[in-house]
């Protein structure tokens, strides 16, 4: 499969924030979010082909790591992702899969499904062709697929927030998932790739979390390392 990067860092987002983890970033994505912070794995996918064995060897070079994160791009479109997850599990790793939840899990091995359905704020602008913009809109929310993940895995539901208007959209989406989702499982994460941009959204997010009982999701890696690859 095409691999953009493999690196050892601290998980910066969600329930496992702060946990040392090996990140395996596949390259390629079926969406084109306007604010994507890993364009090199989505809009312009770069990387090197690696076999499952080669990836395992690289992961083994970080012997202290107990946690692995399959991320992207969209890891669920990577050929061989099921085999990779199974092999990592066999070697004793905890596996988080960070996905937009547009592709069904199909039995993939996973200890934490970090599901991030994309809101209207992700719609790409005129930099992209009309065909890609249409594809993004058609694909970005798949309620049945989200429900499939939620039914079969421990999960967190992470929404990227740019404004107060996103909160109403989230309410409409949650009603489509066909089950009650505990508010503490719903994470609101500020959009932004600098501390300044993230902090500017704090007031909206903190207020929304208190109002709905949702959880605030910071971006620790941005605070610690800035917007740089390999972190
Ligand atoms: S789903 Fe993730 S990787 Fe793909 S375009 Fe959106 S933000 Fe980027």
């Amino acid at each position: 499969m095409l691999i953009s990067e493999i690196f050892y860092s601290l998980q910066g987002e969600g329930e496992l924030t702060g946990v040392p983890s090996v990140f395996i970033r596949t390259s390629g994505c079926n969406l084109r979010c306007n604010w994507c912070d890993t364009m090199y794995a989505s809009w312009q996918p770069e990387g090197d082909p690696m076999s499952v064995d080669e990836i395992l060897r690289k992961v083994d070079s970080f012997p202290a790591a107990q946690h692995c994160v399959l991320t992207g791009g969209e890891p669920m479109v990577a050929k061989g992702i099921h085999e990779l997850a199974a092999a990592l599990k066999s070697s004793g790793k905890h596996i988080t899969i960070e996905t937009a939840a547009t592709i069904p899990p199909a039995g993939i091995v996973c200890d934490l499904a970090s599901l991030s359905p994309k809101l209207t704020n992700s719609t790409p602008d005129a930099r992209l062709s009309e065909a890609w913009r249409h594809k993004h809109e058609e694909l970005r929310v798949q309620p049945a697929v989200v429900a499939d993940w939620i039914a079969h895995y421990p999960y967190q539901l992470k929404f990227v927030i740019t404004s107060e208007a996103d909160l109403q959209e989230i309410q409409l989406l949650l009603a489509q998932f066909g089950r009650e989702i505990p508010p503490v499982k719903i994470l609101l994460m500020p959009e932004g790739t600098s501390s300044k941009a993230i902090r500017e959204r704090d007031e909206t997010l903190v207020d929304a979390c208190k109002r709905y009982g949702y959880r605030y999701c910071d971006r620790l890696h941005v605070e610690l390392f800035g917007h740089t690859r390999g972190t």
Side-chain angles (χ1 to χ4, degrees), residues 6-154:
I6 299 176
F7 58 93
Y8 186 38
S9 187
L10 303 184
Q11 174 57 276
E13 303 172 358
E15 294 179 1
L16 294 176
T17 293
V19 175
S21 306
V22 178
F23 291 78
I24 301 163
R25 187 184 306 287
T26 62
S27 197
C29 187
N30 57 346
L31 298 181
R32 290 291 183 271
C33 302
N34 202 43
W35 37 252
C36 181
D37 60 358
T38 54
M39 293 277 192
Y40 54 93
S42 59
W43 286 48
Q44 293 104 25
E46 305 166 3
D48 297 310
M50 290 180 76
S51 67
V52 168
D53 282 347
E54 287 170 326
I55 295 169
L56 289 179
R57 276 199 293 278
K58 180 72 177 172
V59 170
D60 284 345
S61 70
F62 309 108
Q66 298 297 307
H67 288 67
C68 286
V69 181
L70 301 181
T71 189
E74 172 50 73
M76 293 304 295
V77 301
K79 284 191 173 55
I81 196 70
H82 289 72
E83 291 80 358
L84 175 60
L88 289 168
K89 191 67 186 170
S90 293
S91 68
K93 305 299 185 191
H94 175 286
I95 299 166
T96 299
I97 299 180
E98 296 183 337
T99 174
T102 60
I103 312 278
I108 194 166
V109 174
C110 175
D111 297 297
L112 175 63
S114 185
L115 311 173
S116 185
K118 300 301 185 265
L119 303 175
T120 311
N121 66 35
S122 69
T123 301
D125 59 24
R127 288 173 294 169
L128 275 185
S129 66
E130 193 55 42
W132 253 116
R133 299 175 75 184
H134 182 71
K135 182 180 175 188
H136 179 93
E137 283 310 289
E138 288 281 298
L139 271 180
R140 68 178 169 79
V141 177
Q142 303 289 327
V145 176
V146 175
D148 192 358
W149 280 96
I150 286 175
H152 295 103
Y153 301 91

Side-chain angles (χ1 to χ4, degrees), residues 182-212:
V184 75
K185 288 283 184 195
I186 299 171
L187 280 56
L188 303 185
M189 186 171 79
E191 190 276 327
T193 53
S194 70
S195 293
K196 183 171 179 292
I198 289 170
R199 297 283 78 88
E200 282 171 356
R201 302 198 195 281
D202 276 354
E203 193 176 338
T204 301
L205 268 73
V206 170
D207 180 64
C209 287
K210 289 162 72 176
R211 199 175 342 137
Y212 293 102

